[in-house]
Amino acid sequence: MMSKEEFLKELGEINPGYNMEFIGKAYDKAKELHEGQFRRSGDPYFTHPIAVAIILAQLGMDDETIAGGLLHDVVEDTNYTRNVLVSDFGEEVALLVDGVTKLGSIKFDTKEEAQAENLRKMFMAMSKDIRVLIIKLADRLHNMRTAEYWDIEKAKEKSRETLDIYAPLAGRLGISSVKQEMEDLALEYLYPEDFKTLSAKVSETRVQHEAFIGVVIEKIKAALDQMGMHYDIYGRSKHLYSIYKKMVLQHKQLEEIFDLTAVRVIVDSVKDCYAVLGQVHTMWKPIPGRFKDYIAMPKPNMYQSLHTTVLGENGEPFEIQIRTYEMHRVAEYGIAAHWKYKEGQTDGKENEEDIKLAWLRQALEWQQELKDPQEFMETLKMELFSSQVFVFTPKGEVIDLPSGATPLDFAFKIHTDVGCKCVGAKVNGKMVTIDHVLNNGDIVEIVTSSKSSGPTNDWLNIVKSSTAKAKIKQWLRKANRTEEVERGRTQLEKYVKKKGYDPQLVMRAANMNKAMKEMGIANGMNELYIQVSNSGTVLSKYAGLLFKYFDEEEKLELIKQEEKEKALIADDNKRKKAAEHRRDNPGIIVKGVDNPMVRIARCCNPVPGDKIVGFITKGRGVSVHRADCSNMKALPEEELARFIDVDWEDIKEGKAYDADICIVTADRKRMFSDISKCCEDMDIHISGVNAKSGKDGAVHIILTLSLSSTQEMQKVLRTLRGVEGVTDVYRARS
């Protein structure tokens, strides 16, 4: 077993900034409490918390998490209480340990019920501090590393749970190193024969692949050295489970998998990423459909990189991944990268702006709704395993949904009200039904109606996302309660008519009582209306008391207060809408119309100084085009009535617009680097790039640049024409 001195020395080599006194105290307490306990291997039990703590340190976690790793089993396995833990190490460490501790004192009817409730508890703890899950992942990883000491049935059971739950959770947090090792270890115990066969085959071909990739790396190095770029480059082998999954799901042979070995290039900036991509595509021919831009559209777990598959000289395909150093850090450590020490310092807190945990918040929403353990586990697996599809709103915002998602999933992702009022959708400009399956890159526009009757039980079979399912179920429950309330009102009206009371006066009194409750005015009648509404039961004393309680003066005063409140809310909503219009307005004046919805047309990308026209779209406001836009000129005569006069307003300094520039150039080394340098010298941001070789041997490059005016564009065109080898530069036409 590792001594305290050896343990702290190893931590110091990983990160000298750790608080060794605090962590050493946790080491001493955990060792003391686990004294006399042993693992199945015969080793002292304390070897496990030490291993967990080292894994956490390798992930770059902070002092409290390392201490939590050392102490994660003490409350469950010893007589050490949470209160003493708080006294010794503080509330933060206690929260982490408590989140990992199983529900040991509660007896469950089935193993699945116990698993579901333990996961519920962990999810609730994760909502307070995501480090709970990171400790649990480190705990499970070390247990899988020592799974050889379990009996075969338990090893298979834990491996299945790891593959179904914990590896996908690590993937959702972006901690690829933990995810991949867990998957390979689980594969070994679940499918031992397949594991042995695949390992042997991969080993046979690995030497050949590595030699081939070595040649590729040397060629890329030579090109990047000529470009004067700072970089790191190395080969990466695909892990076994990923290969196995492709072979099984896609029915492929080992030799049919392109990315068994890939080249990874790491550079300083996003601009350098695209420069390397341009260089690679001039050296080898890219395979159509095999380019993925995860920089422009990151994965939900924050992963960013450029992936392209190209053909080598011998016709063998291989993959190249390009990313910045920061992207690489996030790709390796995911959310754990947030706690990485910077010069020995860390704040140890989550920053919700930087860490995208939307999937966790969604999981917490639906897990509250699911009472049946089997349904909970099935939904959790579906949420973790579902691959993603990326679609766009009409404004160009990227929305990620589970594979197989429909417009209904999209609508509920936008807002609950949009989903509930959805009656159809347009996908890429064409009307589709609500059960239409969405594909990557689709532009989705939801059609709503105020007359929509809302969700039905059938909708639950259409949607794929757990979030949409939870919102539909919530709406259906609320609709049923509303029917009960209406039945109660009807019964109350019948009752007061029978007694000779004025039914309008009594119902207004009930409404005023509800308004008083909402405004926080305490009185003995506050619960009266709620009881009538919720139960639908009518008792004579309710109607009598309601009628008796309000005289005309009190009713008028409450009505005035209610109307004043509504007016204030209406004014506030009006101000918010006006502010949203001002934020979204792209600097365009629509003559004769106040605060219209305006968007810049992507087909021609006008910039200030261009002659422009407005076109009234159906449901998306005014689309602004260049006057010479070919799409506008091609419109049939009956559409001309939808043109409207528009003009540029005084543009504030710093406002930029995307515009596409076409460059025709000779194929030479450092070409893209020189073009990038030109843009950098002019302080012009490159927001997109596309390059391909023409039949004439020339290279055609389309740059998407952020420009403020036509004057700036002309300057860019003139400057780029001066780059060696450039034969033509012009603005892209629609």
Side-chain angles (χ1 to χ4, degrees):
M1 185 174 68
M2 190 178 287
S3 69
K4 180 179 178 181
E5 291 71 24
E6 291 170 331
F7 171 71
L8 294 179
K9 181 182 178 183
E10 183 156 346
L11 284 193
E13 290 173 355
I14 296 171
N15 189 340
Y18 281 130
N19 183 341
M20 298 303 181
E21 182 179 353
F22 179 72
I23 294 173
K25 179 183 174 184
Y27 177 100
D28 291 336
K29 178 57 67 175
K31 183 182 179 185
E32 172 196 334
L33 292 168
H34 287 301
E35 192 69 42
Q37 296 177 350
F38 296 90
R39 289 172 63 79
R40 288 174 182 267
S41 63
D43 294 330
Y45 187 85
F46 187 47
T47 58
H48 171 63
I50 289 175
V52 169
I54 289 173
I55 292 170
L56 292 169
Q58 289 167 342
L59 291 174
M61 300 308 294
D62 60 356
D63 298 323
E64 288 75 17
T65 314
I66 305 300
L70 287 166
L71 297 161
H72 76 274
D73 277 333
V74 295
V75 174
E76 181 180 350
D77 293 343
T78 75
N79 58 4
Y80 194 59
T81 66
R82 188 186 189 283
N83 289 339
V84 179
L85 178 61
V86 171
S87 175
D88 288 347
F89 296 97
E91 184 63 44
E92 193 171 348
V93 173
L95 174 68
L96 299 178
V97 173
D98 189 50
V100 181
T101 302
K102 298 186 187 73
L103 305 176
S105 59
I106 303 176
K107 301 301 179 185
F108 297 101
D109 294 333
T110 66
K111 189 176 292 185
E112 190 169 49
E113 184 180 350
Q115 184 190 40
E117 291 309 313
N118 281 320
L119 285 167
R120 281 186 202 270
K121 181 175 185 288
M122 187 174 72
F123 267 71
M124 291 307 299
M126 284 158 55
S127 70
K128 298 176 184 176
D129 199 319
I130 195 64
R131 291 175 292 177
V132 168
L133 177 54
I134 299 176
I135 293 175
K136 184 61 184 175
L137 293 175
D139 171 54
R140 175 53 61 99
L141 178 59
H142 182 250
N143 281 333
M144 288 300 299
R145 286 176 178 175
T146 55
E148 62 191 278
Y149 297 106
W150 287 330
D151 61 68
I152 189 64
E153 287 307 314
K154 183 171 183 179
K156 286 186 175 181
E157 177 191 327
K158 293 296 183 183
S159 294
R160 173 52 60 193
E161 186 182 60
T162 299
L163 210 53
D164 285 354
I165 304 295
Y166 291 104
L169 280 171
R172 280 303 187 100
L173 296 188
I175 311 175
S176 60
S177 57
V178 171
K179 172 183 178 288
Q180 291 171 8
E181 187 178 352
M182 278 185 174
E183 288 175 338
D184 284 354
L185 288 167
L187 178 66
E188 183 176 359
Y189 291 102
L190 285 173
Y191 309 105
E193 293 305 316
D194 291 343
F195 179 84
K196 288 177 185 176
T197 303
L198 184 59
S199 297
K201 284 184 177 180
V202 170
S203 296
E204 287 174 11
T205 60
R206 182 162 286 161
V207 174
Q208 179 184 349
H209 278 290
E210 287 178 352
F212 170 73
I213 290 298
V215 173
V216 170
I217 287 174
E218 289 306 314
K219 289 186 177 181
I220 296 176
K221 278 183 176 181
L224 298 187
D225 287 341
Q226 278 196 339
M227 294 168 70
M229 191 174 289
H230 174 248
Y231 65 89
D232 279 307
I233 184 170
Y234 58 90
R236 173 203 61 82
S237 297
K238 200 173 188 68
H239 71 293
L240 286 177
Y241 180 72
S242 182
I243 299 171
Y244 176 80
K245 193 165 63 171
K246 273 197 173 184
M247 292 174 70
V248 171
L249 297 180
Q250 299 178 20
H251 306 289
K252 289 187 174 183
Q253 298 299 315
L254 187 64
E255 53 272 13
E256 295 178 285
I257 299 176
F258 291 159
D259 53 351
L260 280 177
T261 310
V263 174
R264 184 171 288 157
V265 184
I266 307 173
V267 292
D268 290 329
S269 67
V270 172
K271 182 190 71 175
D272 289 346
C273 289
Y274 288 104
V276 172
L277 177 68
Q279 182 63 47
V280 164
H281 281 180
T282 61
M283 295 169 69
W284 295 284
K285 185 178 180 179
I287 298 177
R290 296 285 302 176
F291 170 66
K292 295 175 183 176
D293 189 343
Y294 293 120
I295 293 179
M297 290 195 299
K299 291 185 179 183
N301 63 7
M302 303 179 292
Y303 178 88
Q304 288 184 287
S305 188
L306 298 176
H307 291 194
T308 185
T309 303
V310 296
L311 287 172
E313 283 80 358
N314 58 356
E316 182 177 352
F318 61 95
E319 186 181 60
I320 297 178
Q321 300 174 359
I322 309 164
R323 62 181 66 151
T324 66
Y325 287 95
E326 176 61 21
M327 291 172 192
H328 182 64
R329 189 169 68 93
V330 173
E332 290 297 303
Y333 300 105
I335 203 169
H338 179 71
W339 283 274
K340 277 284 193 182
Y341 279 69
K342 294 179 181 179
E343 297 179 1
Q345 300 296 322
T346 183
D347 56 14
K349 303 291 183 184
E350 279 190 67
N351 182 338
E352 290 186 357
E353 294 298 317
D354 297 331
I355 300 174
K356 300 175 182 175
L357 285 174
W359 67 272
L360 173 57
R361 290 191 292 274
Q362 291 166 10
L364 290 171
E365 286 177 15
W366 56 252
Q367 71 98 5
Q368 297 284 6
E369 305 290 336
L370 303 175
K371 304 302 180 187
D372 179 60
Q374 186 174 356
E375 185 183 3
F376 171 80
M377 293 304 297
E378 287 174 358
T379 309
L380 176 61
K381 291 174 186 178
M382 180 184 74
E383 184 74 14
L384 293 175
F385 270 126
S386 61
S387 55
Q388 301 297 112
V389 59
F390 296 92
V391 297
F392 296 93
T393 68
K395 290 186 176 181
E397 297 172 11
V398 179
I399 302 293
D400 63 283
L401 296 167
S403 181
T406 66
L408 272 183
D409 292 283
F410 178 92
F412 279 103
K413 185 73 176 276
I414 298 299
H415 196 276
T416 303
D417 288 344
V418 176
C420 291
K421 294 176 182 177
C422 175
V423 293
K426 287 183 181 180
V427 174
N428 303 324
K430 295 182 180 179
M431 285 298 300
V432 298
T433 56
I434 59 175
D435 60 353
H436 175 85
V437 176
L438 300 175
N439 295 308
N440 274 318
D442 282 346
I443 300 172
V444 186
E445 181 180 356
I446 298 300
V447 179
T448 61
S449 172
S450 58
K451 296 180 181 179
S452 168
S453 57
T456 66
N457 283 317
D458 291 339
W459 285 21
L460 294 170
N461 299 322
I462 294 174
V463 296
K464 299 299 180 185
S465 65
S466 55
T467 304
K469 284 183 186 290
K471 288 180 177 179
I472 292 169
K473 288 178 180 178
Q474 188 179 34
W475 191 95
L476 292 171
R477 280 193 294 271
K478 187 177 179 182
N480 290 335
R481 285 198 298 268
T482 302
E483 289 174 8
E484 291 175 6
V485 170
E486 290 305 316
R487 283 197 298 270
R489 282 177 176 272
T490 302
Q491 291 176 8
L492 182 57
E493 285 180 348
K494 287 180 180 178
Y495 177 82
V496 296
K497 281 180 182 178
K498 184 178 178 181
K499 287 292 184 180
Y501 297 139
D502 178 354
Q504 287 188 342
L505 183 61
V506 172
M507 296 314 295
R508 282 171 63 190
N511 288 334
M512 291 306 100
N513 181 64
K514 184 183 179 186
M516 289 174 71
K517 178 175 172 58
E518 289 173 352
M519 288 185 285
I521 301 172
N523 63 79
M525 303 296 295
N526 278 347
E527 295 306 316
L528 196 55
Y529 177 77
I530 303 303
Q531 291 179 48
V532 173
S533 297
N534 284 349
S535 67
T537 304
V538 179
L539 299 176
S540 60
K541 65 176 183 177
Y542 291 168
L545 286 170
L546 281 169
F547 179 74
K548 183 179 177 182
Y549 186 79
F550 289 92
D551 60 33
E552 287 297 326
E553 185 177 343
E554 287 173 313
K555 282 188 295 177
L556 288 172
E557 181 61 32
L558 279 170
I559 290 169
K560 287 178 183 177
Q561 289 183 30
E562 187 178 27
E563 289 176 348
K564 185 178 179 182
E565 184 81 6
K566 286 180 178 177
L568 288 171
I569 292 170
D571 286 343
D572 187 48
N573 288 338
K574 191 174 180 180
R575 283 194 298 272
K576 286 179 180 177
K577 285 182 179 179
E580 287 172 1
H581 274 305
R582 287 193 296 272
R583 281 197 303 273
D584 295 339
N585 193 330
I588 300 292
I589 299 169
V590 180
K591 296 179 181 178
V593 183
D594 292 331
N595 288 328
M597 186 165 65
V598 179
R599 64 187 182 88
I600 297 291
R602 292 186 176 181
C603 58
C604 55
N605 284 332
V607 298
D610 284 328
K611 290 183 179 179
I612 52 176
V613 294
F615 183 74
I616 300 171
T617 65
K618 296 177 181 178
R620 290 190 288 172
V622 177
S623 175
V624 179
H625 298 254
R626 283 160 44 192
D628 61 352
C629 176
S630 57
N631 287 339
M632 293 296 98
K633 290 181 178 180
L635 286 173
E637 189 173 345
E638 59 267 23
E639 298 287 346
L640 300 181
R642 290 164 62 186
F643 281 110
I644 190 170
D645 289 337
V646 293
D647 203 354
W648 298 101
E649 65 182 11
D650 292 334
I651 303 301
K652 293 182 174 60
E653 187 178 351
K655 193 169 183 65
Y657 300 78
D658 281 349
D660 289 339
I661 302 295
C662 298
I663 304 171
V664 182
T665 175
D667 188 357
R668 69 168 177 85
K669 292 182 178 180
R670 297 183 56 84
M671 172 54 76
F672 196 83
S673 176
D674 290 346
I675 291 172
S676 299
K677 183 69 165 56
C678 262
C679 293
E680 184 180 7
D681 291 343
M682 290 183 286
D683 197 24
I684 299 296
H685 173 63
I686 300 175
S687 56
V689 62
N690 189 8
K692 63 179 180 179
S693 298
K695 293 181 181 178
D696 55 359
V699 177
H700 297 256
I701 301 171
I702 299 177
L703 293 183
T704 302
L705 306 178
S706 296
L707 303 171
S708 61
S709 65
T710 52
Q711 289 84 357
E712 189 170 40
M713 177 174 290
Q714 291 304 321
K715 178 185 175 184
V716 171
L717 295 176
R718 287 194 304 271
T719 306
L720 290 176
R721 287 188 185 110
V723 175
E724 180 189 348
V726 170
T727 57
D728 196 7
V729 182
Y730 56 91
R731 186 171 180 186
R733 301 173 183 86
S734 58

